[in-house]
Amino acid sequence: MKKDKVYSFAKFNLDALLSLSEKLRGRPCTCDVSQMPKSGSLNWVIFISFDDGLEWVFRSPRDGFHSFYSNETSSKILASEASTLMYLNTHTSVPVPEVYSYSESSDNEIGVPYILQSKASGRSLASYNWSGLPDEEVQVSGIHHPPPLALSDKDREKVMSQLGAIMSELSDHPFEKIGSLFSDDGAGGYNIGECLSISLTWQDRDSLEERDRGPFHEERSYLESLISAFTMHAKELPLAPHIFTAPVPDEQDYQSRSSLRAAGGRWNNFVAIGAKIDSGKNRLLYCIAGQFLREMIPHLLSGLSSFTLSHPDLHLGNIYVDDDFNITSIIDWSSSSSGPITELLATPPLASSAEPAAEFLVAAFRSGFRQRGSRIVPDPTHAHLWEISERLWYFTRLVRLLSKNDYDHFRRLFELVYKTSADEAGDGRGLLWLFHERASRDENKALLAELQEEDMTREELEKEERARFPPSRTVDSDVLAVARKLTLMSEMNPLFFADHRLWKWVEEARQTDGPL
């Protein structure tokens, strides 16, 4: 028999779920078994409908698709998220879903870990054209997708001002430790436990040995732990697609999609030669970045001894608004934790994890925070905390490996911390020269030798190269020659950097002069 779509992601006891829902609300409910669950990277979702038209949301962790963390960590994150939502509903006016029931394990009548919660009203900001750039109707896999809804700058400012006020309210509920929130079973209270921050758990980081997830009693220990997780990731876990001196081509740097596709192909060919991404040389650069980040810690400390909850992944899809752009709900508090207030003060860019928010949106966010006021911040207009929040925005994206261009984030952080141009670093030779000098230290030479023990052998590299560039294909022989020449240049020049300028130059050179 054909399986109903509602069971596409997991086998569970739907009758038990409906029975629980009816018991909790005291009204009959149904579930359309033909509905395809909505899904993201971490969870799948179905909807329960009551006889009066009200709907509830049933969420369960997604299994076997993207392995972000272990099942043990997944259970802890679910329990913490449920606790965080219940805390916010009880102690604040922050609009979040109401939790009716949850189970962090499959040891229940429904048969899967879950959160049963209210459904957000309104529509998500992802339905709107937040960037303001022209957007046309598109068709993906034969499915028609209408263009996003229009959004004015005034609407954007209204949303950002509300977010600032929400962060201000969160700052009025401080904690003495940095970590994730858990409820005291049966006691009605809450406590701060180990920190389940994305930086410490995602991308298999929870599998790293000697990791410290707290809880932390001071900012410095917390920041040191984030840097340690970043450095251990660089040493032991896959880095794809991150390569410090060759960022992934980004569409904002190209005038046409054909140029972007060409640059992407050349980037792929270049990093394939010598398996550059997971090479000891690339791993060393990230380890050195971690060394520099440790030296920046004094410039990242707020000096405050209390800590605040913040949303770990605030993007357009997690914010719901009504027709007048009043925020009705903020969803998905998975991996949330308390932390330095400067994390709370960092303006969320919403549309992109790689680029900071526009200046007028930063102003609206800060205005919303100031107008509401805050008890934990002695002076909300104090420039020092806002400056640190800007530094911390780049810092967190670096240690989480959220960007396609880690070097650019490091460069911007360096300039904010040391208030100097990155081009003037290293006696005027730039940041890459500083990395080159740091790599020549004895301890880093030893580290490189250790990291290179895991590199592919020459025979393995040649086999990979033959598979990628078959000698029978003449078109590939040309792109192979380009990739090899660029690789040779990168080995000879410690200041070599393969960004959009290089790929555009290659494209222009091939158009005017033919093969390189």
Side-chain angles (χ1 to χ4, degrees), residues 108-175:
N108 59 71
E109 291 185 353
I110 300 173
V112 292
Y114 70 88
I115 295 179
L116 183 60
Q117 63 186 52
S118 61
K119 182 182 179 181
S121 60
R123 69 173 81 221
S124 79
L125 279 177
S127 305
Y128 294 88
N129 185 359
W130 183 266
S131 68
L133 298 175
D135 211 324
E136 300 177 352
E137 295 186 5
V138 296
Q139 203 165 343
V140 179
S141 301
I143 301 175
H144 175 77
H145 294 265
L149 301 172
L151 195 67
S152 69
D153 284 349
K154 185 177 180 180
D155 296 330
R156 295 182 184 88
E157 288 179 320
K158 181 175 181 178
V159 170
M160 294 303 288
S161 178
Q162 291 175 80
L163 287 176
I166 287 171
M167 301 310 161
S168 177
E169 180 175 0
L170 287 174
S171 75
D172 283 342
H173 299 272
F175 296 89

Side-chain angles (χ1 to χ4, degrees), residues 26 43 128 173 177 250 265 277 301 320 331 368 395 426 429 474 509:
N43 298 285
Y128 294 88
H173 299 272
K177 293 181 287 187
D250 194 300
I277 292 179
L301 300 175
Y320 282 70
I331 67 170
F395 171 84
R429 301 188 188 185
T474 56

Side-chain angles (χ1 to χ4, degrees), residues 45 50 53 56 71 85 102 108 122 170 198 217-218 244 262 316 336 387 418 439 474 510 512:
V45 170
F50 289 91
W56 281 1
N71 289 335
L85 292 174
Y102 76 94
N108 59 71
L170 287 174
I198 292 173
H217 295 269
E218 58 180 10
F244 199 72
L316 297 175
S336 59
E387 288 177 2
Y418 297 114
T474 56
R510 298 190 72 183
T512 57

